[in-house]
Amino acid sequence: MSGGSVELHRHASGQDMAKEWARTMGVEFPRHVARQDLRDALTRVPGAPELEAGDQGGFLEYRTAASGVSVIVVDDEEEERGRHAGHGDVWSVSLWASSVPAR
């Protein structure tokens, strides 16, 4: 496997999926995750890399090659938080493998 993604936006449509995820994976996520809340949490992690922003057409992608992390955030001001992720909410968090030679 070279990567994976947690599509947090799917939790906004209802608590059932979030509850199932918490039960099976042992990890709880709120229904909505604001980019600012994630950013604030990262400032408390020693050595956390700075995420660089890029435009993804209606979304912003914050990523860092150093850790192989990509965070997609809704960037459409007309999108309201509700049964869907709204403006400024995290859409997904992805991890990808760096290009490390096979052993």
Side-chain angles (χ1 to χ4, degrees):
M1 183 165 86
S2 63
S5 183
V6 177
E7 296 183 351
L8 295 175
H9 65 96
R10 294 184 178 270
H11 292 183
S13 63
Q15 286 299 311
D16 292 343
M17 184 175 290
K19 287 178 184 176
E20 179 66 12
W21 176 274
R23 186 185 68 73
T24 58
M25 302 301 237
V27 177
E28 291 188 40
F29 288 103
R31 189 168 175 198
H32 298 95
V33 178
R35 180 193 73 83
Q36 187 61 46
D37 293 341
L38 178 61
R39 186 172 177 222
D40 292 347
L42 286 174
T43 63
R44 296 188 297 272
V45 176
E50 191 70 29
L51 299 173
E52 299 174 19
D55 185 13
Q56 292 292 324
F59 295 90
L60 290 174
E61 179 182 28
Y62 295 88
R63 69 185 300 169
T64 175
S67 65
V69 171
S70 173
V71 178
I72 304 293
V73 175
V74 178
D75 189 39
D76 184 342
E77 291 186 19
E78 294 182 15
E79 287 296 325
E80 294 183 19
R81 180 183 272 189
R83 289 191 56 79
H84 302 283
H87 178 71
D89 286 334
V90 175
W91 184 261
S92 66
V93 176
S94 302
L95 302 172
W96 72 90
S98 60
S99 52
V100 176
R103 294 184 204 190

Coordinates of all heavy atoms in Angstrom, one line a residue:
M1 N 0.9 -1.2 0.0 CA 0.0 0.0 0.0 C 0.9 1.2 0.0 O 1.9 1.3 0.7 CB -0.9 0.0 1.2 CG -1.9 1.1 1.3 SD -3.2 0.9 2.5 CE -2.4 1.5 3.9
S2 N 0.5 2.2 -0.8 CA 1.4 3.4 -0.9 C 0.7 4.6 -0.2 O 1.3 5.7 -0.2 CB 1.7 3.7 -2.4 OG 0.5 4.0 -3.0
G3 N -0.5 4.5 0.3 CA -1.1 5.6 0.9 C -2.6 5.3 1.4 O -3.0 4.1 1.1
G4 N -3.2 6.2 2.0 CA -4.5 6.0 2.5 C -5.2 7.4 2.8 O -4.5 8.4 2.9
S5 N -6.5 7.4 2.9 CA -7.2 8.6 3.1 C -8.4 8.4 4.1 O -9.0 7.4 4.0 CB -7.7 9.2 1.8 OG -8.4 10.4 2.0
V6 N -8.6 9.4 5.0 CA -9.7 9.4 5.9 C -10.6 10.5 5.4 O -10.2 11.7 5.4 CB -9.3 9.6 7.4 CG1 -10.6 9.7 8.2 CG2 -8.4 8.5 7.8
E7 N -11.8 10.2 4.9 CA -12.7 11.1 4.3 C -13.6 11.6 5.4 O -14.8 11.2 5.5 CB -13.5 10.5 3.1 CG -12.5 10.1 2.0 CD -13.2 9.6 0.8 OE1 -14.5 9.3 0.9 OE2 -12.6 9.5 -0.3
L8 N -13.2 12.6 6.1 CA -13.9 13.2 7.3 C -15.2 13.8 6.8 O -16.2 13.8 7.6 CB -13.1 14.2 8.0 CG -11.8 13.6 8.7 CD1 -11.0 14.7 9.3 CD2 -12.2 12.6 9.7
H9 N -15.4 14.2 5.6 CA -16.6 14.9 5.2 C -17.8 13.9 5.2 O -18.9 14.3 5.4 CB -16.4 15.4 3.7 CG -16.2 14.3 2.7 ND1 -17.2 13.8 2.0 CD2 -15.1 13.7 2.3 CE1 -16.7 12.9 1.1 NE2 -15.4 12.8 1.3
R10 N -17.5 12.6 5.2 CA -18.6 11.6 5.2 C -19.2 11.6 6.6 O -20.4 11.2 6.7 CB -18.0 10.2 4.9 CG -17.6 10.2 3.4 CD -17.2 8.8 3.0 NE -16.8 8.7 1.6 CZ -17.6 8.4 0.6 NH1 -18.9 8.2 0.9 NH2 -17.2 8.4 -0.6
H11 N -18.5 12.0 7.6 CA -19.1 12.0 9.0 C -20.1 13.1 9.1 O -21.0 13.0 10.0 CB -18.0 12.2 10.0 CG -17.1 11.0 10.1 ND1 -16.1 10.9 11.1 CD2 -17.0 9.8 9.5 CE1 -15.5 9.8 10.9 NE2 -16.0 9.1 10.0
A12 N -20.1 14.1 8.3 CA -21.0 15.2 8.4 C -22.5 14.8 8.1 O -23.4 15.4 8.6 CB -20.6 16.4 7.5
S13 N -22.6 13.7 7.3 CA -24.0 13.3 6.8 C -24.7 12.6 7.9 O -25.9 12.4 7.7 CB -23.9 12.5 5.5 OG -23.2 11.3 5.8
G14 N -24.1 12.3 9.0 CA -24.8 11.6 10.1 C -23.9 11.0 11.1 O -22.7 10.7 10.8
Q15 N -24.4 10.8 12.3 CA -23.5 10.3 13.3 C -23.3 8.8 13.2 O -22.4 8.2 13.8 CB -24.1 10.6 14.7 CG -23.9 12.1 15.0 CD -22.5 12.4 15.1 OE1 -21.7 11.8 15.8 NE2 -22.1 13.5 14.5
D16 N -24.1 8.0 12.5 CA -24.0 6.6 12.4 C -22.6 6.2 11.9 O -22.0 5.3 12.4 CB -25.1 6.0 11.5 CG -26.5 6.1 12.1 OD1 -26.5 6.3 13.4 OD2 -27.5 5.9 11.4
M17 N -22.1 6.8 10.8 CA -20.8 6.4 10.3 C -19.7 6.8 11.3 O -18.8 6.0 11.5 CB -20.6 7.1 9.0 CG -19.3 6.7 8.3 SD -19.0 7.4 6.7 CE -20.2 6.5 5.8
A18 N -19.8 7.9 11.9 CA -18.8 8.3 12.9 C -18.8 7.3 14.1 O -17.7 6.9 14.6 CB -19.0 9.7 13.4
K19 N -20.0 6.9 14.5 CA -20.1 6.0 15.6 C -19.5 4.6 15.2 O -18.8 4.0 16.0 CB -21.5 5.8 16.1 CG -22.0 7.0 16.9 CD -23.5 6.8 17.2 CE -24.0 8.0 17.9 NZ -25.5 7.9 18.2
E20 N -19.8 4.1 14.0 CA -19.3 2.9 13.5 C -17.7 2.9 13.4 O -17.0 2.0 13.8 CB -19.9 2.5 12.2 CG -19.4 1.2 11.6 CD -19.8 0.0 12.4 OE1 -20.7 0.1 13.3 OE2 -19.2 -1.1 12.1
W21 N -17.2 4.0 12.9 CA -15.8 4.2 12.8 C -15.1 4.1 14.2 O -14.2 3.4 14.4 CB -15.5 5.5 12.1 CG -14.0 5.9 12.1 CD1 -13.2 6.5 13.0 CD2 -13.1 5.5 11.0 NE1 -11.9 6.6 12.6 CE2 -11.8 6.0 11.4 CE3 -13.3 5.0 9.8 CZ2 -10.7 5.9 10.6 CZ3 -12.2 4.8 8.9 CH2 -10.9 5.3 9.4
A22 N -15.7 4.8 15.1 CA -15.2 4.8 16.5 C -15.2 3.4 17.1 O -14.2 3.0 17.8 CB -15.9 5.8 17.4
R23 N -16.3 2.7 16.9 CA -16.4 1.4 17.4 C -15.4 0.4 16.8 O -14.8 -0.3 17.5 CB -17.9 0.9 17.2 CG -18.1 -0.5 17.9 CD -19.5 -1.0 17.5 NE -19.7 -1.4 16.1 CZ -19.1 -2.5 15.6 NH1 -18.3 -3.3 16.3 NH2 -19.3 -2.8 14.3
T24 N -15.3 0.4 15.5 CA -14.4 -0.5 14.8 C -12.9 -0.2 14.8 O -12.1 -1.0 14.9 CB -14.8 -0.8 13.4 OG1 -14.8 0.5 12.7 CG2 -16.2 -1.4 13.3
M25 N -12.6 1.1 14.8 CA -11.2 1.6 14.7 C -10.7 2.1 16.0 O -9.5 2.3 16.2 CB -11.1 2.7 13.7 CG -11.5 2.2 12.3 SD -10.6 0.8 11.7 CE -10.0 1.4 10.2
G26 N -11.6 2.4 17.0 CA -11.1 2.9 18.3 C -10.7 4.4 18.2 O -9.9 4.8 19.1
V27 N -11.1 5.1 17.2 CA -10.8 6.5 17.0 C -12.1 7.3 16.8 O -12.9 6.9 15.9 CB -9.8 6.7 15.8 CG1 -9.5 8.2 15.6 CG2 -8.6 5.9 15.9
E28 N -12.2 8.4 17.6 CA -13.4 9.2 17.4 C -13.1 10.5 16.7 O -12.0 11.1 16.9 CB -14.0 9.5 18.8 CG -14.6 8.3 19.5 CD -15.3 8.7 20.8 OE1 -16.0 9.8 20.8 OE2 -15.1 8.0 21.7
F29 N -14.0 10.8 15.8 CA -13.9 12.1 15.1 C -15.2 12.8 15.3 O -16.3 12.2 15.3 CB -13.7 11.9 13.5 CG -12.3 11.4 13.2 CD1 -12.2 10.0 12.9 CD2 -11.3 12.2 13.1 CE1 -10.9 9.6 12.5 CE2 -10.0 11.8 12.8 CZ -9.8 10.4 12.5
P30 N -15.2 14.2 15.4 CA -16.4 14.9 15.5 C -17.1 14.9 14.1 O -16.5 14.6 13.1 CB -15.9 16.3 15.9 CG -14.5 16.4 15.4 CD -14.0 15.0 15.5
R31 N -18.3 15.3 14.1 CA -19.1 15.4 12.8 C -18.5 16.3 11.8 O -18.4 16.1 10.6 CB -20.5 15.8 13.2 CG -21.4 15.7 12.0 CD -22.9 15.9 12.4 NE -23.7 15.9 11.3 CZ -24.9 16.4 11.2 NH1 -25.5 16.9 12.3 NH2 -25.6 16.4 10.1
H32 N -17.9 17.5 12.3 CA -17.2 18.4 11.5 C -15.9 18.7 12.1 O -15.8 18.8 13.3 CB -18.0 19.7 11.3 CG -19.3 19.6 10.7 ND1 -20.5 19.4 11.4 CD2 -19.7 19.5 9.4 CE1 -21.5 19.3 10.5 NE2 -21.0 19.4 9.3
V33 N -14.9 18.9 11.3 CA -13.5 19.3 11.8 C -13.1 20.6 11.0 O -12.9 20.6 9.8 CB -12.5 18.2 11.5 CG1 -11.1 18.6 12.0 CG2 -12.9 16.9 12.2
A34 N -13.0 21.7 11.8 CA -12.6 22.9 11.1 C -11.1 22.9 10.9 O -10.3 22.4 11.8 CB -13.0 24.1 12.0
R35 N -10.6 23.5 9.8 CA -9.2 23.6 9.6 C -8.5 24.3 10.7 O -7.4 23.9 11.1 CB -8.9 24.4 8.3 CG -7.4 24.5 7.9 CD -7.2 25.5 6.8 NE -7.4 26.8 7.2 CZ -6.4 27.6 7.9 NH1 -5.3 27.1 8.2 NH2 -6.7 28.8 8.2
Q36 N -9.1 25.3 11.2 CA -8.4 26.1 12.3 C -8.2 25.2 13.6 O -7.2 25.3 14.2 CB -9.2 27.3 12.7 CG -8.6 28.2 13.7 CD -7.2 28.8 13.2 OE1 -7.1 29.2 12.0 NE2 -6.2 28.7 14.0
D37 N -9.2 24.3 13.9 CA -9.1 23.4 15.0 C -7.9 22.4 14.8 O -7.1 22.2 15.7 CB -10.4 22.6 15.2 CG -11.5 23.5 15.7 OD1 -11.2 24.7 16.2 OD2 -12.6 23.1 15.6
L38 N -7.8 21.9 13.5 CA -6.7 21.0 13.2 C -5.4 21.8 13.3 O -4.4 21.3 13.9 CB -6.9 20.5 11.8 CG -5.8 19.6 11.3 CD1 -5.6 18.3 12.2 CD2 -6.0 19.2 9.8
R39 N -5.3 23.0 12.8 CA -4.1 23.8 12.8 C -3.7 24.1 14.3 O -2.5 24.0 14.6 CB -4.3 25.1 12.1 CG -3.1 26.0 12.0 CD -3.4 27.2 11.1 NE -2.2 28.0 11.0 CZ -2.2 29.3 11.1 NH1 -3.4 29.9 11.1 NH2 -1.1 30.0 11.0
D40 N -4.7 24.4 15.1 CA -4.4 24.6 16.6 C -3.8 23.4 17.2 O -2.9 23.5 18.0 CB -5.6 25.1 17.3 CG -6.1 26.5 16.9 OD1 -5.3 27.2 16.2 OD2 -7.3 26.8 17.2
A41 N -4.4 22.2 16.9 CA -3.9 21.0 17.5 C -2.5 20.7 17.0 O -1.6 20.2 17.8 CB -4.8 19.8 17.1
L42 N -2.1 21.0 15.8 CA -0.8 20.8 15.3 C 0.2 21.7 15.9 O 1.4 21.3 16.1 CB -0.7 20.9 13.7 CG -1.4 19.8 12.9 CD1 -1.4 20.2 11.4 CD2 -0.6 18.5 13.1
T43 N -0.2 22.8 16.3 CA 0.8 23.7 17.0 C 1.2 23.2 18.4 O 2.3 23.6 18.9 CB 0.2 25.2 17.2 OG1 -0.9 25.1 18.1 CG2 -0.1 25.8 15.9
R44 N 0.5 22.2 18.9 CA 0.8 21.6 20.2 C 1.7 20.4 20.0 O 2.1 19.8 21.0 CB -0.4 21.3 21.0 CG -1.2 22.5 21.4 CD -2.4 22.2 22.3 NE -3.4 21.4 21.7 CZ -4.5 21.8 21.0 NH1 -4.6 23.1 20.8 NH2 -5.4 20.9 20.6
V45 N 2.0 20.0 18.8 CA 2.8 18.8 18.5 C 4.2 19.3 18.2 O 4.5 19.9 17.2 CB 2.3 18.0 17.3 CG1 3.2 16.9 17.0 CG2 0.8 17.6 17.5
P46 N 5.2 18.9 19.1 CA 6.6 19.3 18.9 C 7.1 18.8 17.6 O 6.9 17.6 17.2 CB 7.3 18.6 20.1 CG 6.3 18.3 21.1 CD 5.0 18.1 20.3
G47 N 7.7 19.7 16.8 CA 8.3 19.3 15.5 C 7.4 19.1 14.4 O 7.8 18.6 13.3
A48 N 6.1 19.4 14.6 CA 5.1 19.2 13.5 C 5.5 20.1 12.3 O 5.8 21.3 12.5 CB 3.7 19.5 13.9
P49 N 5.6 19.6 11.1 CA 6.0 20.4 9.9 C 4.9 21.4 9.6 O 3.7 21.2 9.8 CB 6.1 19.4 8.8 CG 5.3 18.3 9.2 CD 5.2 18.2 10.7
E50 N 5.3 22.5 8.9 CA 4.4 23.5 8.4 C 3.8 23.0 7.2 O 4.5 22.5 6.3 CB 5.2 24.8 8.1 CG 4.4 26.0 7.9 CD 3.7 26.5 9.1 OE1 4.2 26.3 10.2 OE2 2.6 27.1 8.9
L51 N 2.5 23.1 7.0 CA 1.8 22.7 5.9 C 1.7 23.8 4.8 O 1.4 24.9 5.1 CB 0.3 22.2 6.2 CG 0.2 21.1 7.2 CD1 -1.2 20.9 7.6 CD2 0.8 19.8 6.6
E52 N 2.1 23.5 3.6 CA 2.0 24.4 2.5 C 0.7 24.4 1.8 O 0.2 23.3 1.5 CB 3.2 24.1 1.5 CG 4.5 24.2 2.1 CD 5.6 23.8 1.2 OE1 5.4 23.7 0.0 OE2 6.7 23.5 1.7
A53 N 0.1 25.5 1.5 CA -1.2 25.5 0.8 C -1.2 25.6 -0.7 O -0.3 26.3 -1.2 CB -2.0 26.7 1.4
G54 N -2.1 25.0 -1.3 CA -2.3 25.0 -2.8 C -3.7 25.0 -3.1 O -4.5 24.4 -2.4
D55 N -4.1 25.6 -4.2 CA -5.5 25.6 -4.7 C -5.9 24.4 -5.4 O -5.1 23.9 -6.3 CB -5.7 26.8 -5.6 CG -7.1 27.1 -6.0 OD1 -8.0 26.4 -5.4 OD2 -7.4 27.8 -6.9
Q56 N -7.0 23.8 -5.1 CA -7.5 22.6 -5.8 C -8.9 22.8 -6.3 O -9.7 21.9 -6.3 CB -7.5 21.4 -4.8 CG -6.2 21.0 -4.3 CD -5.4 20.3 -5.5 OE1 -6.0 19.6 -6.3 NE2 -4.1 20.6 -5.5
G57 N -9.3 24.0 -6.8 CA -10.6 24.3 -7.4 C -11.7 24.0 -6.4 O -12.3 23.0 -6.5
G58 N -12.0 25.0 -5.6 CA -13.1 24.8 -4.6 C -12.6 24.2 -3.3 O -13.4 24.1 -2.3
F59 N -11.4 23.8 -3.3 CA -10.8 23.2 -2.1 C -9.4 23.8 -2.0 O -8.8 24.3 -2.9 CB -10.6 21.7 -2.2 CG -11.9 21.0 -2.2 CD1 -12.5 20.7 -3.4 CD2 -12.5 20.5 -1.1 CE1 -13.7 20.0 -3.5 CE2 -13.7 19.9 -1.1 CZ -14.3 19.6 -2.3
L60 N -8.8 23.8 -0.8 CA -7.4 24.1 -0.6 C -6.7 22.8 -0.1 O -7.3 22.0 0.6 CB -7.2 25.1 0.5 CG -7.7 26.6 0.2 CD1 -7.6 27.5 1.4 CD2 -6.8 27.1 -1.0
E61 N -5.6 22.6 -0.6 CA -4.8 21.4 -0.1 C -3.6 21.9 0.7 O -2.8 22.7 0.2 CB -4.3 20.6 -1.3 CG -3.5 19.4 -0.8 CD -2.9 18.5 -2.0 OE1 -2.6 19.1 -3.0 OE2 -2.7 17.4 -1.7
Y62 N -3.5 21.4 1.9 CA -2.4 21.7 2.8 C -1.6 20.4 2.8 O -2.1 19.4 3.2 CB -2.9 22.1 4.2 CG -3.7 23.4 4.2 CD1 -5.0 23.4 4.0 CD2 -3.0 24.6 4.4 CE1 -5.7 24.6 4.0 CE2 -3.7 25.8 4.4 CZ -5.1 25.8 4.2 OH -5.7 27.0 4.2
R63 N -0.3 20.5 2.5 CA 0.5 19.3 2.4 C 1.9 19.6 2.8 O 2.4 20.7 2.8 CB 0.4 18.6 1.1 CG 1.1 19.4 0.0 CD 0.9 18.7 -1.4 NE 1.4 17.4 -1.4 CZ 1.2 16.5 -2.4 NH1 0.5 16.8 -3.4 NH2 1.8 15.3 -2.3
T64 N 2.6 18.5 3.2 CA 4.0 18.6 3.5 C 4.7 17.3 3.0 O 4.2 16.2 3.4 CB 4.3 18.9 5.0 OG1 5.7 18.8 5.2 CG2 3.6 17.9 5.9
A65 N 5.6 17.4 2.2 CA 6.4 16.3 1.7 C 7.1 15.6 2.8 O 7.3 14.4 2.7 CB 7.3 16.7 0.5
A66 N 7.6 16.4 3.8 CA 8.4 15.8 4.9 C 7.7 14.7 5.6 O 8.3 13.7 6.0 CB 8.8 16.9 5.8
S67 N 6.4 14.8 5.8 CA 5.6 13.8 6.5 C 4.7 13.0 5.7 O 4.1 12.0 6.1 CB 4.8 14.5 7.7 OG 3.8 15.3 7.1
G68 N 4.5 13.4 4.4 CA 3.6 12.7 3.5 C 2.2 12.9 3.8 O 1.4 12.0 3.7
V69 N 1.8 14.0 4.3 CA 0.4 14.3 4.8 C -0.2 15.4 3.8 O 0.5 16.3 3.4 CB 0.4 14.9 6.2 CG1 -1.0 15.4 6.6 CG2 0.9 13.8 7.2
S70 N -1.4 15.1 3.5 CA -2.2 16.1 2.7 C -3.6 16.3 3.4 O -4.2 15.3 3.7 CB -2.4 15.5 1.3 OG -3.3 16.3 0.5
V71 N -4.0 17.5 3.6 CA -5.2 17.9 4.2 C -6.0 18.7 3.2 O -5.5 19.7 2.8 CB -5.1 18.6 5.5 CG1 -6.4 19.0 6.1 CG2 -4.2 17.9 6.5
I72 N -7.2 18.2 2.8 CA -8.1 18.9 1.9 C -9.1 19.6 2.7 O -9.8 19.0 3.5 CB -8.7 18.0 0.8 CG1 -7.6 17.1 0.1 CG2 -9.6 18.7 -0.1 CD1 -6.7 18.0 -0.8
V73 N -9.3 20.9 2.4 CA -10.2 21.8 3.1 C -11.2 22.5 2.1 O -10.8 22.9 1.1 CB -9.5 22.9 3.9 CG1 -10.4 23.9 4.6 CG2 -8.5 22.2 4.9
V74 N -12.5 22.5 2.5 CA -13.5 23.2 1.6 C -13.2 24.7 1.6 O -13.0 25.3 2.6 CB -14.9 23.0 2.2 CG1 -15.9 23.7 1.3 CG2 -15.2 21.5 2.3
D75 N -13.1 25.2 0.4 CA -12.7 26.6 0.2 C -13.8 27.4 -0.6 O -13.5 28.4 -1.2 CB -11.4 26.7 -0.6 CG -10.9 28.2 -0.6 OD1 -11.0 28.9 0.4 OD2 -10.3 28.6 -1.6
D76 N -15.0 26.9 -0.6 CA -16.1 27.6 -1.2 C -17.0 28.3 -0.2 O -17.6 27.6 0.7 CB -17.0 26.5 -2.0 CG -18.1 27.2 -2.8 OD1 -18.5 28.3 -2.5 OD2 -18.7 26.5 -3.6
E77 N -16.9 29.6 -0.2 CA -17.6 30.4 0.9 C -19.1 30.2 0.9 O -19.8 30.5 1.9 CB -17.3 31.9 0.7 CG -15.8 32.2 1.1 CD -15.5 33.6 1.1 OE1 -16.4 34.5 1.2 OE2 -14.3 33.9 1.0
E78 N -19.7 29.7 -0.2 CA -21.1 29.4 -0.2 C -21.5 28.1 0.4 O -22.7 27.8 0.7 CB -21.6 29.5 -1.6 CG -21.5 30.9 -2.2 CD -22.1 31.0 -3.6 OE1 -22.8 30.1 -4.1 OE2 -21.8 32.0 -4.3
E79 N -20.5 27.2 0.7 CA -20.8 25.9 1.3 C -21.0 26.1 2.8 O -20.1 26.6 3.5 CB -19.7 25.0 1.1 CG -19.6 24.4 -0.3 CD -20.8 23.6 -0.8 OE1 -21.3 22.9 0.1 OE2 -21.1 23.7 -1.9
E80 N -22.2 25.8 3.3 CA -22.5 25.9 4.7 C -22.4 24.6 5.4 O -22.8 23.5 4.8 CB -24.0 26.4 4.8 CG -24.1 27.9 4.3 CD -25.5 28.4 4.5 OE1 -26.2 27.8 5.4 OE2 -25.9 29.4 3.9
R81 N -21.9 24.6 6.6 CA -21.8 23.4 7.4 C -23.2 22.9 7.7 O -24.1 23.6 8.1 CB -21.1 23.8 8.7 CG -20.9 22.6 9.6 CD -20.2 23.1 10.9 NE -18.8 23.0 10.7 CZ -17.9 23.2 11.7 NH1 -18.4 23.4 12.9 NH2 -16.7 23.1 11.5
G82 N -23.4 21.6 7.6 CA -24.7 21.0 7.9 C -24.5 19.5 7.7 O -23.6 18.8 8.3
R83 N -25.3 18.9 6.8 CA -25.2 17.5 6.4 C -23.9 17.3 5.5 O -23.7 16.2 5.1 CB -26.4 17.0 5.8 CG -27.6 16.9 6.8 CD -28.7 16.1 6.2 NE -28.5 14.8 5.7 CZ -28.3 13.7 6.5 NH1 -28.4 13.8 7.8 NH2 -28.1 12.5 5.9
H84 N -23.2 18.4 5.2 CA -22.0 18.4 4.4 C -21.0 19.2 5.1 O -21.3 20.1 5.9 CB -22.3 18.9 3.0 CG -23.3 18.1 2.3 ND1 -23.1 16.9 1.7 CD2 -24.6 18.4 2.0 CE1 -24.2 16.5 1.1 NE2 -25.2 17.4 1.3
A85 N -19.7 19.0 4.8 CA -18.7 19.9 5.3 C -18.8 21.2 4.7 O -19.2 21.4 3.5 CB -17.3 19.3 5.0
G86 N -18.6 22.3 5.5 CA -18.8 23.7 5.0 C -17.5 24.4 4.8 O -16.4 23.8 5.0
H87 N -17.6 25.6 4.4 CA -16.4 26.4 4.2 C -15.4 26.4 5.4 O -15.9 26.6 6.5 CB -16.8 27.9 3.9 CG -15.6 28.8 3.7 ND1 -14.9 28.7 2.6 CD2 -15.1 29.8 4.5 CE1 -13.9 29.6 2.7 NE2 -14.0 30.3 3.8
G88 N -14.2 26.0 5.1 CA -13.2 26.0 6.2 C -13.1 24.6 6.9 O -12.3 24.4 7.8
D89 N -14.0 23.7 6.6 CA -14.0 22.4 7.2 C -13.0 21.4 6.5 O -12.9 21.5 5.2 CB -15.4 21.7 7.2 CG -16.3 22.3 8.2 OD1 -15.8 22.9 9.2 OD2 -17.5 22.3 8.0
V90 N -12.4 20.5 7.2 CA -11.6 19.5 6.6 C -12.4 18.5 5.8 O -13.4 18.0 6.3 CB -10.8 18.8 7.7 CG1 -9.9 17.6 7.1 CG2 -9.8 19.7 8.4
W91 N -12.1 18.3 4.6 CA -12.8 17.3 3.7 C -12.1 15.9 3.9 O -12.8 14.9 4.0 CB -12.6 17.8 2.3 CG -13.4 17.0 1.3 CD1 -12.8 16.0 0.5 CD2 -14.7 17.0 0.9 NE1 -13.8 15.4 -0.3 CE2 -15.0 16.1 -0.1 CE3 -15.8 17.8 1.4 CZ2 -16.2 15.9 -0.7 CZ3 -17.0 17.6 0.8 CH2 -17.2 16.7 -0.2
S92 N -10.8 15.9 3.9 CA -10.1 14.6 4.0 C -8.7 14.8 4.5 O -8.1 15.9 4.3 CB -10.1 13.8 2.7 OG -9.3 14.5 1.7
V93 N -8.1 13.8 5.0 CA -6.7 13.7 5.4 C -6.1 12.5 4.8 O -6.7 11.4 4.9 CB -6.6 13.6 7.0 CG1 -5.1 13.5 7.4 CG2 -7.2 14.8 7.7
S94 N -5.0 12.7 4.1 CA -4.4 11.6 3.3 C -2.9 11.5 3.7 O -2.3 12.4 4.1 CB -4.5 11.8 1.8 OG -5.8 12.0 1.4
L95 N -2.5 10.2 3.6 CA -1.0 9.9 3.8 C -0.6 9.2 2.6 O -1.3 8.4 2.0 CB -0.9 9.0 5.0 CG -1.4 9.5 6.4 CD1 -1.3 8.4 7.4 CD2 -0.5 10.7 6.8
W96 N 0.6 9.5 2.1 CA 1.2 8.8 1.0 C 2.6 8.4 1.3 O 3.3 9.1 2.1 CB 1.1 9.7 -0.3 CG 2.0 10.8 -0.3 CD1 3.3 10.9 -0.8 CD2 1.8 12.2 0.2 NE1 3.9 12.1 -0.6 CE2 3.0 12.9 0.0 CE3 0.7 12.8 0.8 CZ2 3.1 14.3 0.4 CZ3 0.8 14.1 1.2 CH2 2.0 14.8 0.9
A97 N 3.1 7.4 0.7 CA 4.4 6.9 0.9 C 5.4 7.8 0.1 O 5.1 8.1 -1.0 CB 4.5 5.4 0.5
S98 N 6.5 8.1 0.8 CA 7.6 8.8 0.0 C 8.2 7.8 -0.9 O 8.1 6.6 -0.8 CB 8.6 9.3 1.0 OG 9.2 8.3 1.7
S99 N 8.9 8.3 -1.9 CA 9.5 7.4 -2.9 C 10.8 6.8 -2.3 O 11.9 7.4 -2.5 CB 9.8 8.1 -4.2 OG 10.5 9.3 -3.9
V100 N 10.7 5.8 -1.5 CA 11.8 5.1 -0.9 C 12.1 3.9 -1.7 O 11.2 3.1 -2.0 CB 11.5 4.7 0.6 CG1 12.6 3.9 1.2 CG2 11.1 5.9 1.4
P101 N 13.4 3.7 -2.1 CA 13.7 2.5 -2.9 C 13.4 1.2 -2.2 O 13.5 1.1 -0.9 CB 15.2 2.6 -3.1 CG 15.6 3.9 -2.6 CD 14.5 4.5 -1.8
A102 N 12.9 0.2 -2.9 CA 12.6 -1.1 -2.3 C 13.8 -1.8 -1.8 O 14.9 -1.6 -2.4 CB 11.9 -2.0 -3.4
R103 N 13.7 -2.6 -0.8 CA 14.9 -3.3 -0.3 C 15.1 -4.6 -1.0 O 14.2 -5.3 -1.4 CB 14.6 -3.6 1.2 CG 14.6 -2.4 2.0 CD 14.5 -2.7 3.4 NE 14.0 -1.6 4.2 CZ 13.9 -1.6 5.5 NH1 14.4 -2.6 6.2 NH2 13.4 -0.6 6.1

